């Protein structure tokens, strides 16, 4: 048997033979010779292991070529790729959260392809500050005295705790000691930043006296934390922001609020409730507030700290600011997004536009899409317009569905809804669809212009396979 396995091993083609094939040359041009050789080496090693388990394993060059071509094709595809979001989740964390407005995309392309004024003052010809590119805009849109930006909201929280409360006590309600995506836990972040956590109240009820009794000479901050996807309902109590601000002011300590999503317009304007705008948080007494740019705000991934000038200046001089600084493309997108807000043209921001869509308009779009699908795929499947529950996503309004419309696909040959979803995800332009009761659904709220055509292309490719 050992000799038979050795003989089988000897039938494997040499590396130089594999590399010399005409079809391989095309992949060498696309992937690079070292990459192609590395893939073939790994493939041959895997085949040798297969032979040890099955001495009849096919070692023909045709079989090896077929496997290599599949691996090369997979390697050639970009890992970060556009997808069609047909889930109805507007701020989809796994799909890149909010889409940028056209102006923001244009701004990114402009600065990415050329030198820029990232840290250069044109008036004086001297070094400038990248934060100044957006600070003035942030102050106008939030009402803050000063502001700074870092690479995400988690970094903003760490910066504030580290710079303002390292080695000191920070008071937090037990009902706000949450964990959000990626195991970001408030107690762990406090420990990492060097702050000492002082828990007050209970999980469901915290009163002003709980905070007041916890203040000591070692206390530097009262921290209010956005609950993200966590909600407590029923017998609950929390302290109004104004009262916490007054308590902090009386004791000469900082009142900081982590707002999570950066809502720059009132939630009522989106047909929602329960989330306060950053302007309102600041007007009600928060010394500093941290928030994200890529959620409700509808911009790029960025973290903002806005509030009182003296505190912001202290943060700017922190030694860890350099580790959190923002790149030129993010700043370009954020500046463009803030200018849209200041002009009052918020419906140019895709996330805001999707949330503001009227149910009647969504129904009409679903009907048009269903009619188009019936025409294109007559006899292949049944396409029906159905009411659906959409969602804000991004940690905001976790318990509040948004009524919308979708197109369901039934009576087809693509198997279960789960199998159908998998097939669509593997198309050249991946389509991520919803499902309910083993029925695949295309939610129209989150479809961008041209996405219907991409879905049709995906279905055509499934029929061709």
């Amino acid at each position: 048997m050992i000799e038979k396995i050795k003989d089988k091993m000897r039938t494997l083609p040499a590396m130089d033979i594999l590399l010399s094939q005409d079809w391989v040359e095309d992949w060498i041009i696309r992937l690079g010779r070292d990459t192609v050789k590395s893939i073939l080496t790994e493939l041959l090693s895997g085949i040798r292991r297969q032979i040890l388990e099955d001495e009849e394993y096919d070692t023909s060059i045709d079989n090896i070529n077929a496997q290599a071509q599949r691996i090369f094709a997979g390697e050639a595809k970009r890992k970060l790729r556009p997808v069609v979001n047909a889930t109805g989740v507007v701020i989809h964390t796994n799909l890149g959260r909010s889409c940028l407005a056209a102006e923001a995309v244009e701004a990114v392309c402009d600065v990415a392809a050329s030198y820029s004024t990232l840290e250069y003052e044109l008036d004086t010809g001297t070094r400038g500050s990248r934060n100044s590119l957006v600070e003035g805009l942030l102050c106008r849109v939030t009402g803050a005295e000063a502001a700074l930006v870092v690479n995400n909201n988690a970094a903003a929280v760490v910066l504030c705790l580290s710079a303002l409360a390292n080695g000191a006590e920070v008071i937090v309600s037990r009902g706000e000691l949450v964990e959000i995506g990626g195991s970001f836990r408030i107690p762990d972040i406090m420990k990492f930043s060097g702050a000492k956590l002082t828990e007050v109240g209970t999980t469901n009820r915290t009163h002003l006296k709980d905070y007041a009794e916890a203040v000591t000479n070692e206390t530097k901050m009262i921290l209010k934390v956005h609950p993200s996807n966590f909600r407590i309902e029923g017998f609950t109590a929390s302290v109004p922001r104004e009262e916490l601000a007054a308590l902090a002011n009386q004791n000469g300590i900082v009142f900081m609020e982590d707002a999570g999503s950066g809502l720059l317009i009132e939630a009522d304007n989106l047909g929602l409730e329960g989330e306060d705008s950053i302007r309102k948080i600041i007007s009600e007494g928060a010394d500093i507030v941290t928030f994200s740019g890529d959620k409700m705000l509808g911009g790029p991934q960025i973290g903002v700290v806005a509030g009182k000038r003296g505190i912001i200046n202290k943060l700017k001089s922190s030694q860890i600011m350099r580790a959190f600084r923002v790149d030129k493309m993010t700043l370009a997108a954020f500046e463009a997004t803030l200018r849209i807000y200041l002009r009052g043209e918020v419906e140019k921001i895709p996330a805001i536009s999707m949330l503001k869509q009227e149910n009647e308009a969504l129904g009409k779009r679903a009907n048009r899409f269903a009619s188009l699908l019936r025409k294109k795929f007559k006899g292949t499947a049944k396409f029906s317009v159905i009411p659906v529950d959409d969602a804000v996503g991004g940690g905001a309004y976790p318990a509040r569905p948004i009524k919308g419309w979708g197109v369901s696909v039934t009576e087809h040959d693509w198997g279960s809804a789960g199998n159908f979803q998998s097939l669509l995800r593997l198309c050249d332009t991946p389509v991520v669809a919803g499902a309910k009761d083993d029925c695949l659904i295309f939610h129209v709220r989150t479809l961008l212009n041209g996405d219907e055509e991409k879905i049709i292309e995906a279905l055509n490719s499934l029929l061709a396979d």
Side-chain angles (χ1 to χ4, degrees), residues 112-388:
S114 65
Y115 294 104
S116 65
T117 55
L118 179 64
E119 291 185 351
Y120 188 75
E121 294 288 350
L122 292 174
D123 290 343
T124 61
T126 58
R127 184 186 180 94
S129 165
R130 64 179 69 194
N131 189 72
S132 66
L133 299 171
V134 294
E135 183 175 16
L137 300 175
L138 276 167
C139 291
R140 292 191 189 100
V141 79
T142 64
E145 294 177 2
L148 63 81
V149 289
V150 290
N151 47 25
N152 58 31
N153 189 48
V157 174
V158 171
L159 171 65
C160 293
L161 291 171
S162 176
L164 304 175
N166 192 317
E169 296 173 358
V170 176
I171 303 174
V172 186
S173 168
R174 286 189 173 91
E176 297 174 0
L177 295 177
V178 297
E179 174 183 326
I180 60 176
S183 298
F184 183 90
R185 294 182 171 187
I186 292 300
D188 293 342
I189 293 303
M190 299 272 283
K191 183 178 180 180
F192 175 78
S193 67
K196 299 176 183 178
L197 171 63
T198 298
E199 303 176 30
V200 296
T202 62
T203 302
N204 60 319
R205 293 176 70 82
T206 304
H207 306 282
L208 182 62
K209 67 176 183 178
D210 295 322
Y211 287 95
E213 291 172 357
V215 176
T216 71
N217 292 333
E218 300 299 317
T219 305
K220 291 289 187 182
M221 179 185 293
I222 293 175
L223 173 62
K224 183 175 178 60
V225 182
H226 189 280
S228 189
N229 287 326
F230 175 67
R231 290 291 185 276
I232 302 175
E233 297 180 354
F235 187 59
T236 64
S238 60
V239 183
R241 183 179 296 117
E242 296 95 331
E243 294 182 17
L244 290 177
L247 177 63
N249 185 57
Q250 291 167 11
N251 288 276
I253 59 180
V254 175
F255 173 40
M256 168 181 162
E257 182 162 345
D258 170 16
S261 297
L263 188 58
L264 296 185
I265 58 177
E266 297 304 324
D268 292 347
N269 294 335
L270 301 175
L272 302 169
E273 68 283 325
E275 294 280 332
D276 291 333
S277 70
I278 302 302
R279 178 176 286 275
K280 182 178 181 182
I281 292 172
I282 291 174
S283 69
E284 290 182 350
D287 293 318
I288 50 172
V289 56
T290 67
F291 57 94
S292 297
D294 57 342
K295 296 180 182 178
M296 295 292 287
L297 196 153
Q301 178 174 298
I302 202 168
V304 180
V305 188
K308 292 185 176 178
R309 182 174 290 104
I311 299 175
I312 298 296
N313 286 341
K314 187 172 182 179
L315 296 176
K316 290 177 180 178
S317 63
S318 171
Q319 292 297 310
I320 63 173
M321 261 302 297
R322 185 175 180 84
F324 294 151
R325 69 179 183 174
V326 182
D327 78 290
K328 61 183 180 181
M329 291 176 285
T330 303
L331 284 167
F334 195 48
E335 179 186 0
T337 303
L338 292 174
R339 291 187 183 281
I340 290 173
Y341 274 99
L342 289 168
R343 294 198 305 269
E345 299 175 343
V346 294
E347 292 195 12
K348 287 186 175 181
I349 297 171
I352 301 298
S353 176
M354 290 175 185
L355 292 172
K356 287 175 72 68
Q357 288 184 81
E358 297 291 339
N359 198 260
E360 182 180 354
L362 289 170
K364 290 180 179 179
R365 185 176 184 183
N367 275 292
R368 288 195 300 271
F369 187 32
S371 297
L372 183 59
L373 290 169
R374 294 184 193 114
K375 180 179 179 181
K376 294 283 186 180
F377 302 100
K378 186 177 181 180
T380 300
K382 180 181 179 180
F383 302 96
S384 306
V385 176
I386 61 171
V388 295

Side-chain angles (χ1 to χ4, degrees), residues 403-414:
K403 296 301 180 183
W405 291 92
V407 177
S408 68
V409 189
T410 56
E411 300 178 19
H412 54 77
D413 294 329
W414 290 304

